[in-house]
Amino acid sequence: MTRKYDDWTGNVVPEATVRSLDPSAVRAVRATYESLHRDSDEIISLDDEAFLTKVGFFKRGKVTNAALVLLGKSSESFVPSSVCIRWRLIGVDGAEEDSRVMERPLLLAARQVVSMVRNTTVQIGSSGRSTSTYRVASLTEAIFNAIQFQDYESGGTIDVVERERESVTVSNGGSFPQIRPETFALSRPTNADDRNMFLRRAMVNSGLIPGAMSGIRGMYLSQAYRHFPLPDFSVTDNRVSVTFPGIRSGPYTRILDTRDDLSFETIIDLDRMAKCRYVPEKRISELASQGLVAVFDGVPSLICDESGVMRRYRGTDREAVLSLISDVGPVSRSDVVEMLRARGSHELSDSQVSVKATNLLQSMRKEGLVEKVEGSTRSARYRAVPR
């Protein structure tokens, strides 16, 4: 009697043989393994049955559900027909313009779907560097993630929804590890959902996916490197989805185009702010100190400090104003107001920022640090007193 496991993907299917697998899919997984293990002549020389046993798709030479899901022929009935990938194209007006169902083997179906996604080339800022709207490796990784975490007991359909000129969303039935997705981007957590461990280990062993969930980190890093909004993960009604935005616009994009000194944690905060998601006040203050956020009437907003004011003038507002006057030369009160707004270190209204600029200039003038060179109080220009 064949033993049954809680992990459905690890169950042996006695009636299935190596002939139940699609030869093209088997060649594809072997090619992937060989590209990563060119020195493993012993394993590469094995026949298909021995090779698939070695990397973990077979158990002692017996075909498993994992092998049938990823590599099995669509004509075989060992796996439900619902195990497939469904692609839909949504037009700019919200109407469905096209849809297709890619049957097993899911390995080939995943690559076919990715090749169908409309992928244009865009230029990043004024640097002359260009990039694709979607990174093929990230889309493939997202679909492979969906395959490995899919709840096959409740159906196996993986949905890929392409919204024309806007985004691509990959979703599957199941759950996500109890960890904020950004955690995978900032570190390398090893926690993962226990579902489909047999399938997941085989995909890792064969080189189809990286270990320790590092593929999610790669999705975030590639979006940031290409100056696109970061991936959006969502878990609703026992379904998990990840969306790759395909539009570059707004202050977030402009900041990434003009600043090359940002940490990845900072980019995540900027992305959250751009999407109206929560960012702790401490982090907002840090963003403000870098000239990335300004607070107007208590509302933090992303700004693009292309002049580099915030990078040059740090410290207290007083120290920053004095440095500005010393470096730039005669400045007006409005120049000081604009700098204080850009710093955004305090939640002050516009009128309060204006009063603060006046008070700082008057205080430094009384102390002999600056002097008025021309104009009245409102139009005066100030310079540093020579030492």
Side-chain angles (χ1 to χ4, degrees), residues 1 17 95 105 137 149-150 165 183 237 276 291 304 337-338 355:
M1 180 176 179
T17 69
F149 288 110
Q150 171 69 40
R165 302 179 185 178
T183 303
D237 297 330
C276 298
C304 181
V337 168
E338 287 304 314
V355 170

Side-chain angles (χ1 to χ4, degrees), residues 150-263:
Q150 171 69 40
D151 181 0
Y152 291 104
E153 294 183 2
S154 61
T157 302
I158 293 166
D159 284 297
V160 178
V161 178
E162 178 184 352
R163 296 187 180 279
E164 190 172 6
R165 302 179 185 178
E166 183 177 326
S167 66
V168 173
T169 299
V170 178
S171 64
N172 64 281
S175 57
F176 194 83
Q178 298 300 309
I179 300 173
R180 282 180 54 191
E182 290 96 338
T183 303
F184 291 100
L186 294 169
S187 60
R188 298 181 182 273
T190 56
N191 304 54
D193 195 311
D194 290 334
R195 181 179 287 117
N196 307 332
M197 284 296 294
F198 187 87
L199 171 61
R200 188 153 67 249
R201 279 196 295 266
M203 293 179 74
V204 170
N205 292 342
S206 59
L208 292 173
I209 59 173
M213 302 291 286
S214 60
I216 295 179
R217 174 178 168 82
M219 294 179 197
Y220 276 87
L221 290 174
S222 69
Q223 289 291 103
Y225 173 75
R226 296 179 307 110
H227 299 182
F228 273 86
L230 302 183
D232 291 315
F233 281 84
S234 174
V235 182
T236 57
D237 297 330
N238 202 35
R239 197 160 185 84
V240 181
S241 68
V242 57
T243 297
F244 295 92
I247 298 177
R248 283 171 26 90
S249 64
Y252 166 86
T253 297
R254 190 60 186 157
I255 289 171
L256 266 60
D257 283 352
T258 57
R259 296 282 295 264
D260 58 4
D261 60 336
L262 305 179
S263 69

Side-chain angles (χ1 to χ4, degrees), residues 209-366:
I209 59 173
M213 302 291 286
S214 60
I216 295 179
R217 174 178 168 82
M219 294 179 197
Y220 276 87
L221 290 174
S222 69
Q223 289 291 103
Y225 173 75
R226 296 179 307 110
H227 299 182
F228 273 86
L230 302 183
D232 291 315
F233 281 84
S234 174
V235 182
T236 57
D237 297 330
N238 202 35
R239 197 160 185 84
V240 181
S241 68
V242 57
T243 297
F244 295 92
I247 298 177
R248 283 171 26 90
S249 64
Y252 166 86
T253 297
R254 190 60 186 157
I255 289 171
L256 266 60
D257 283 352
T258 57
R259 296 282 295 264
D260 58 4
D261 60 336
L262 305 179
S263 69
F264 192 55
E265 182 181 12
T266 295
I267 293 175
I268 289 178
D269 288 335
L270 294 174
D271 181 77
R272 293 179 69 89
M273 282 196 65
K275 296 172 180 174
C276 298
R277 297 178 62 191
Y278 173 73
V279 177
E281 288 188 15
K282 182 178 180 181
R283 290 297 305 159
I284 289 178
S285 295
E286 174 60 27
L287 296 176
S289 71
Q290 298 180 60
L292 303 170
V293 168
V295 181
F296 302 110
D297 295 327
V299 179
S301 304
L302 294 182
I303 59 172
C304 181
D305 176 32
E306 296 186 52
S307 65
V309 169
M310 291 308 306
R311 278 171 281 173
R312 294 200 304 270
Y313 305 122
R314 297 184 179 275
T316 65
D317 287 342
R318 175 187 172 88
E319 292 169 340
V321 170
L322 187 57
S323 296
L324 174 69
I325 297 173
S326 299
D327 292 352
V328 177
V331 300
S332 67
R333 189 178 66 91
S334 62
D335 293 329
V336 175
V337 168
E338 287 304 314
M339 191 191 74
L340 293 176
R341 281 176 177 167
R343 286 173 62 83
S345 55
H346 302 288
E347 295 188 359
L348 302 178
S349 66
D350 289 352
S351 60
Q352 289 173 322
V353 172
S354 180
V355 170
K356 181 167 188 175
T358 299
N359 291 341
L360 284 172
L361 289 170
Q362 290 179 348
S363 173
M364 288 187 284
R365 185 185 177 193
K366 290 179 180 179

Side-chain angles (χ1 to χ4, degrees), residues 74-127:
S74 60
S75 58
E76 298 287 353
S77 59
F78 300 117
V79 174
S81 60
S82 62
V83 177
C84 62
I85 301 178
R86 180 172 55 202
W87 168 83
R88 292 188 299 145
L89 174 64
I90 308 298
V92 293
D93 59 353
E96 183 176 296
E97 295 187 351
D98 197 1
S99 67
R100 300 182 195 179
V101 173
M102 268 62 72
E103 299 179 328
R104 293 179 293 113
L106 293 191
L107 172 59
L108 300 185
R111 293 176 175 176
Q112 182 181 356
V113 169
V114 171
S115 69
M116 292 167 57
V117 171
R118 290 152 178 75
N119 206 352
T120 58
T121 300
V122 297
Q123 183 174 325
I124 299 178
S126 58
S127 64

